[in-house]
Amino acid sequence: MRPLLILGIIQFGALILCVNRSADAQTTPSLPPSVLNSESDNNSLGDILKTDLLNRLRKTAEEINKQSSNKTRKPRPELGQRRGVFEPVDLSEYLGPDGDQEKAWDILEKNGKVPPRSVFEPPSVPQDATSPIQDLWKDAPLEKRMNYVEDLMKRRKYYSAQNELDEILETGLKGDDLVNALVMREKALFHLKHGKTVESDYYRLKAYFPDDKRIDELKTYLEDQSGIKPLQDTVLKNPSNSQSQRLLLDQYIKHQWLDFAEEFFGVTINDTSEASIQSLSEVYYRKQDHPMLIELSRAAQNLFPHQAIYYYNEGAGLYAKGDPVSLHEAKSVFDQAFKLARQKGLQEKINWYRSHLPSTKR
């Protein structure tokens, strides 16, 4: 039995190393408890081989992480201190590009990394038993159907609420009934994590119903439910606090509300502190609104003429535009930024751009 145990461990180790090397990931998950804590004799050859295997596995993971961190990337504009990272789950980090993603999702769900499937895929229902009720319900008065939608929202059945509202809207509502249904639908979409869609819909509704208070109340609801409102209040009390602005901006980014963010930082607080300029700079950078990034950077240079980051940000915006005139202007802007830069990291970013400009590119 001992040779079979050793052979099994070696084969298992080779399999793990093969999968690990093929995975396109920055991190390697820990081994299951059953592997780490298997029952075997102390100091047995199997334990020694197993320990050696784990050490090699960790070493391989460290080498992969080191290689990934050494990759050259285009520098970003100086946008202030970052707080938090919001990235979608990449299943290839757990299985590799050729792995079984269905099994990976089950593991992630079990470990609490992703929501249950039921959130996205409602369970099937016996159609024969419910169809008579559904047919009867379609002829129910609008008031009863809207009451049912409100009940679904209270019970956090947002997917069902959205479907019900879509059916109601197909009946050709008008006036107040139409506005109420549309506003309720946007609330359901928000809870279903469709932040970007909700933001776009809000501005359409605001343009179509400019004087309707229910549209303004919708935005208040979104700010309250997203946790943005208390962060806004903190920033308004002290706009120059870069940390509180960073927390607020991260929350806007999490919900993909860049237009809401631009409206708040550019209009609501109406502040010219460096913290506000950095927040707006990141908003324009993420929206790929390069002309506004350039314009803001030039205005900041008048307020803070000795700060290199605003010349650097202007240069990054000009470089992103890519036309010959902008690239020519970027050279002199980056030269000025380099003269003012005192930090080695910023100097390296500036030199990256300078080396990639057409006039200096080899």
Side-chain angles (χ1 to χ4, degrees):
M1 295 298 293
R2 183 74 64 179
L4 291 177
L5 172 62
I6 296 173
L7 179 60
I9 293 175
I10 293 175
Q11 291 175 341
F12 177 72
L15 175 62
I16 291 180
L17 288 176
C18 180
V19 172
N20 181 66
R21 288 171 180 168
S22 65
D24 180 19
Q26 295 183 354
T27 58
T28 302
S30 59
L31 293 177
S34 59
V35 176
L36 294 174
N37 302 318
S38 60
E39 296 180 0
S40 60
D41 299 333
N42 292 332
N43 301 321
S44 67
L45 180 57
D47 287 336
I48 295 174
L49 290 174
K50 186 166 57 180
T51 302
D52 179 64
L53 169 63
L54 295 178
N55 290 334
R56 285 158 51 200
L57 180 61
R58 294 190 181 99
K59 185 177 180 180
T60 302
E62 291 173 358
E63 291 177 354
I64 293 175
N65 293 338
K66 185 177 180 181
Q67 293 174 2
S68 176
S69 62
N70 290 335
K71 292 181 180 179
T72 303
R73 297 181 180 180
K74 183 178 74 173
R76 291 159 44 93
E78 286 296 317
L79 304 173
Q81 185 179 6
R82 292 186 56 75
R83 294 276 177 177
V85 178
F86 305 99
E87 298 291 344
V89 174
D90 182 2
L91 298 185
S92 66
E93 292 189 10
Y94 299 86
L95 287 185
D98 300 323
D100 187 340
Q101 295 200 0
E102 291 296 323
K103 292 182 179 179
W105 189 279
D106 292 338
I107 295 173
L108 292 170
E109 181 178 328
K110 182 179 180 180
N111 294 335
K113 300 291 185 181
V114 296
R117 291 174 185 264
S118 58
V119 174
F120 308 103
E121 302 174 3
S124 59
V125 295
Q127 295 297 326
D128 293 340
T130 59
S131 56
I133 298 177
Q134 291 175 344
D135 292 340
L136 178 65
W137 184 246
K138 290 180 181 179
D139 296 328
L142 176 62
E143 182 180 0
K144 292 184 179 296
R145 297 194 71 173
M146 289 300 295
N147 288 340
Y148 176 58
V149 170
E150 292 179 359
D151 179 65
L152 288 172
M153 295 289 290
K154 290 179 181 178
R155 292 186 287 124
R156 298 174 301 283
K157 304 293 184 180
Y158 305 118
Y159 185 87
S160 298
Q162 179 205 338
N163 286 339
E164 186 72 21
L165 286 164
D166 287 343
E167 291 183 4
I168 292 174
L169 288 167
E170 289 178 358
T171 63
L173 300 180
K174 295 181 180 180
D176 289 344
D177 293 335
L178 175 61
V179 176
N180 289 334
L182 289 171
V183 169
M184 188 73 72
R185 183 177 182 273
E186 295 308 315
K187 293 179 180 179
L189 288 174
F190 161 75
H191 289 290
L192 291 171
K193 313 301 182 185
H194 296 294
K196 193 172 184 179
T197 298
V198 172
E199 182 190 61
S200 177
D201 289 349
Y202 164 79
Y203 284 107
R204 290 184 182 184
L205 291 172
K206 184 65 176 175
Y208 200 86
F209 307 103
D211 300 322
D212 199 311
K213 293 182 179 180
R214 286 169 293 185
I215 309 303
D216 296 328
E217 291 171 357
L218 169 62
K219 188 175 182 184
T220 301
Y221 176 89
L222 297 174
E223 292 171 345
D224 288 338
Q225 293 295 311
S226 64
I228 280 178
K229 186 61 171 65
L231 297 177
Q232 288 178 330
D233 294 339
T234 302
V235 170
L236 289 171
K237 291 178 182 178
N238 185 9
S240 62
N241 188 313
S242 60
Q243 182 177 358
S244 61
Q245 286 214 23
R246 182 72 250 179
L247 291 173
L248 174 58
L249 180 58
D250 281 343
Q251 199 70 0
Y252 276 122
I253 294 171
K254 175 183 177 181
H255 294 284
Q256 298 182 295
W257 289 345
L258 295 180
D259 288 336
F260 285 164
E262 179 182 358
E263 184 178 334
F264 179 82
F265 290 112
V267 179
T268 304
I269 61 176
N270 192 23
D271 175 65
T272 57
S273 68
E274 291 194 76
S276 299
I277 294 173
Q278 289 177 356
S279 296
L280 268 176
S281 295
E282 177 150 359
V283 171
Y284 293 139
Y285 176 77
R286 288 179 174 273
K287 292 175 67 173
Q288 298 184 21
D289 191 344
H290 306 125
M292 285 303 299
L293 176 60
I294 294 170
E295 182 178 337
L296 176 64
S297 300
R298 289 172 176 171
Q301 292 165 20
N302 293 329
L303 295 172
F304 308 99
H306 302 296
Q307 292 287 0
I309 60 172
Y310 302 122
Y311 295 92
Y312 168 73
N313 285 356
E314 179 189 357
L318 290 167
Y319 179 89
K321 289 182 69 175
D323 60 275
V325 175
S326 297
L327 293 176
H328 178 74
E329 292 178 358
K331 183 181 183 305
S332 60
V333 174
F334 280 127
D335 289 343
Q336 179 65 20
F338 191 82
K339 292 179 182 178
L340 296 173
R342 297 293 179 266
Q343 299 173 340
K344 183 178 179 180
L346 181 57
Q347 292 174 349
E348 291 176 350
K349 293 179 181 180
I350 295 171
N351 281 333
W352 187 97
Y353 279 104
R354 293 167 82 183
S355 66
H356 285 75
L357 289 171
S359 58
T360 59
K361 192 173 182 180
R362 296 178 181 177

PDB file of all heavy atoms in Angstrom, residues 308 337-347:
ATOM      1  N   ALA A 308       3.405  69.522 -10.612  1.00  0.00           N
ATOM      2  CA  ALA A 308       3.729  68.810 -11.860  1.00  0.00           C
ATOM      3  C   ALA A 308       2.574  67.952 -12.366  1.00  0.00           C
ATOM      4  O   ALA A 308       2.436  67.739 -13.574  1.00  0.00           O
ATOM      5  CB  ALA A 308       4.963  67.925 -11.648  1.00  0.00           C
ATOM      6  N   ALA A 337       6.316  69.284 -17.146  1.00  0.00           N
ATOM      7  CA  ALA A 337       5.977  68.419 -16.017  1.00  0.00           C
ATOM      8  C   ALA A 337       7.228  67.792 -15.419  1.00  0.00           C
ATOM      9  O   ALA A 337       7.362  67.685 -14.186  1.00  0.00           O
ATOM     10  CB  ALA A 337       5.001  67.337 -16.469  1.00  0.00           C
ATOM     11  N   PHE A 338       8.157  67.387 -16.274  1.00  0.00           N
ATOM     12  CA  PHE A 338       9.382  66.742 -15.779  1.00  0.00           C
ATOM     13  C   PHE A 338      10.238  67.723 -14.988  1.00  0.00           C
ATOM     14  O   PHE A 338      10.866  67.359 -13.989  1.00  0.00           O
ATOM     15  CB  PHE A 338      10.174  66.175 -16.961  1.00  0.00           C
ATOM     16  CG  PHE A 338      11.308  65.278 -16.534  1.00  0.00           C
ATOM     17  CD1 PHE A 338      11.083  63.952 -16.221  1.00  0.00           C
ATOM     18  CD2 PHE A 338      12.598  65.782 -16.436  1.00  0.00           C
ATOM     19  CE1 PHE A 338      12.127  63.124 -15.817  1.00  0.00           C
ATOM     20  CE2 PHE A 338      13.649  64.965 -16.024  1.00  0.00           C
ATOM     21  CZ  PHE A 338      13.407  63.629 -15.718  1.00  0.00           C
ATOM     22  N   LYS A 339      10.267  68.985 -15.403  1.00  0.00           N
ATOM     23  CA  LYS A 339      11.038  69.990 -14.673  1.00  0.00           C
ATOM     24  C   LYS A 339      10.500  70.190 -13.264  1.00  0.00           C
ATOM     25  O   LYS A 339      11.266  70.448 -12.322  1.00  0.00           O
ATOM     26  CB  LYS A 339      11.007  71.315 -15.432  1.00  0.00           C
ATOM     27  CG  LYS A 339      11.761  71.292 -16.758  1.00  0.00           C
ATOM     28  CD  LYS A 339      11.644  72.650 -17.450  1.00  0.00           C
ATOM     29  CE  LYS A 339      12.357  72.643 -18.805  1.00  0.00           C
ATOM     30  NZ  LYS A 339      12.216  73.953 -19.517  1.00  0.00           N
ATOM     31  N   LEU A 340       9.177  70.094 -13.122  1.00  0.00           N
ATOM     32  CA  LEU A 340       8.554  70.340 -11.817  1.00  0.00           C
ATOM     33  C   LEU A 340       8.471  69.096 -10.948  1.00  0.00           C
ATOM     34  O   LEU A 340       8.291  69.201  -9.734  1.00  0.00           O
ATOM     35  CB  LEU A 340       7.144  70.907 -12.021  1.00  0.00           C
ATOM     36  CG  LEU A 340       7.053  72.276 -12.706  1.00  0.00           C
ATOM     37  CD1 LEU A 340       5.592  72.628 -12.994  1.00  0.00           C
ATOM     38  CD2 LEU A 340       7.680  73.362 -11.821  1.00  0.00           C
ATOM     39  N   ALA A 341       8.577  67.925 -11.554  1.00  0.00           N
ATOM     40  CA  ALA A 341       8.379  66.673 -10.819  1.00  0.00           C
ATOM     41  C   ALA A 341       9.513  66.447  -9.823  1.00  0.00           C
ATOM     42  O   ALA A 341      10.690  66.606 -10.157  1.00  0.00           O
ATOM     43  CB  ALA A 341       8.281  65.498 -11.781  1.00  0.00           C
ATOM     44  N   ARG A 342       9.162  66.091  -8.623  1.00  0.00           N
ATOM     45  CA  ARG A 342      10.138  65.797  -7.579  1.00  0.00           C
ATOM     46  C   ARG A 342      10.122  64.317  -7.181  1.00  0.00           C
ATOM     47  O   ARG A 342      11.045  63.837  -6.538  1.00  0.00           O
ATOM     48  CB  ARG A 342       9.850  66.648  -6.338  1.00  0.00           C
ATOM     49  CG  ARG A 342       9.989  68.145  -6.584  1.00  0.00           C
ATOM     50  CD  ARG A 342      11.440  68.510  -6.853  1.00  0.00           C
ATOM     51  NE  ARG A 342      11.593  69.939  -7.106  1.00  0.00           N
ATOM     52  CZ  ARG A 342      11.595  70.483  -8.299  1.00  0.00           C
ATOM     53  NH1 ARG A 342      11.423  69.711  -9.385  1.00  0.00           N
ATOM     54  NH2 ARG A 342      11.745  71.785  -8.465  1.00  0.00           N
ATOM     55  N   GLN A 343       9.087  63.613  -7.555  1.00  0.00           N
ATOM     56  CA  GLN A 343       8.961  62.199  -7.184  1.00  0.00           C
ATOM     57  C   GLN A 343       9.466  61.319  -8.321  1.00  0.00           C
ATOM     58  O   GLN A 343       9.138  61.544  -9.497  1.00  0.00           O
ATOM     59  CB  GLN A 343       7.506  61.855  -6.853  1.00  0.00           C
ATOM     60  CG  GLN A 343       6.954  62.656  -5.684  1.00  0.00           C
ATOM     61  CD  GLN A 343       5.464  62.417  -5.489  1.00  0.00           C
ATOM     62  OE1 GLN A 343       4.775  61.965  -6.397  1.00  0.00           O
ATOM     63  NE2 GLN A 343       4.979  62.738  -4.299  1.00  0.00           N
ATOM     64  N   LYS A 344      10.227  60.323  -7.969  1.00  0.00           N
ATOM     65  CA  LYS A 344      10.806  59.436  -8.971  1.00  0.00           C
ATOM     66  C   LYS A 344       9.726  58.706  -9.758  1.00  0.00           C
ATOM     67  O   LYS A 344       9.834  58.539 -10.978  1.00  0.00           O
ATOM     68  CB  LYS A 344      11.733  58.421  -8.293  1.00  0.00           C
ATOM     69  CG  LYS A 344      12.437  57.502  -9.283  1.00  0.00           C
ATOM     70  CD  LYS A 344      13.380  56.544  -8.577  1.00  0.00           C
ATOM     71  CE  LYS A 344      14.060  55.618  -9.574  1.00  0.00           C
ATOM     72  NZ  LYS A 344      14.982  54.668  -8.884  1.00  0.00           N
ATOM     73  N   GLY A 345       8.664  58.269  -9.068  1.00  0.00           N
ATOM     74  CA  GLY A 345       7.595  57.551  -9.750  1.00  0.00           C
ATOM     75  C   GLY A 345       6.935  58.385 -10.827  1.00  0.00           C
ATOM     76  O   GLY A 345       6.658  57.894 -11.933  1.00  0.00           O
ATOM     77  N   LEU A 346       6.691  59.669 -10.525  1.00  0.00           N
ATOM     78  CA  LEU A 346       6.076  60.556 -11.509  1.00  0.00           C
ATOM     79  C   LEU A 346       7.033  60.819 -12.663  1.00  0.00           C
ATOM     80  O   LEU A 346       6.621  60.883 -13.831  1.00  0.00           O
ATOM     81  CB  LEU A 346       5.653  61.863 -10.845  1.00  0.00           C
ATOM     82  CG  LEU A 346       4.955  62.893 -11.749  1.00  0.00           C
ATOM     83  CD1 LEU A 346       3.717  62.289 -12.403  1.00  0.00           C
ATOM     84  CD2 LEU A 346       4.584  64.141 -10.942  1.00  0.00           C
ATOM     85  N   GLN A 347       8.293  60.960 -12.368  1.00  0.00           N
ATOM     86  CA  GLN A 347       9.278  61.163 -13.426  1.00  0.00           C
ATOM     87  C   GLN A 347       9.310  59.976 -14.382  1.00  0.00           C
ATOM     88  O   GLN A 347       9.415  60.147 -15.603  1.00  0.00           O
ATOM     89  CB  GLN A 347      10.658  61.391 -12.805  1.00  0.00           C
ATOM     90  CG  GLN A 347      10.798  62.702 -12.052  1.00  0.00           C
ATOM     91  CD  GLN A 347      12.137  62.815 -11.346  1.00  0.00           C
ATOM     92  OE1 GLN A 347      12.889  61.851 -11.236  1.00  0.00           O
ATOM     93  NE2 GLN A 347      12.442  64.022 -10.854  1.00  0.00           N
TER      94      GLN A 347
END
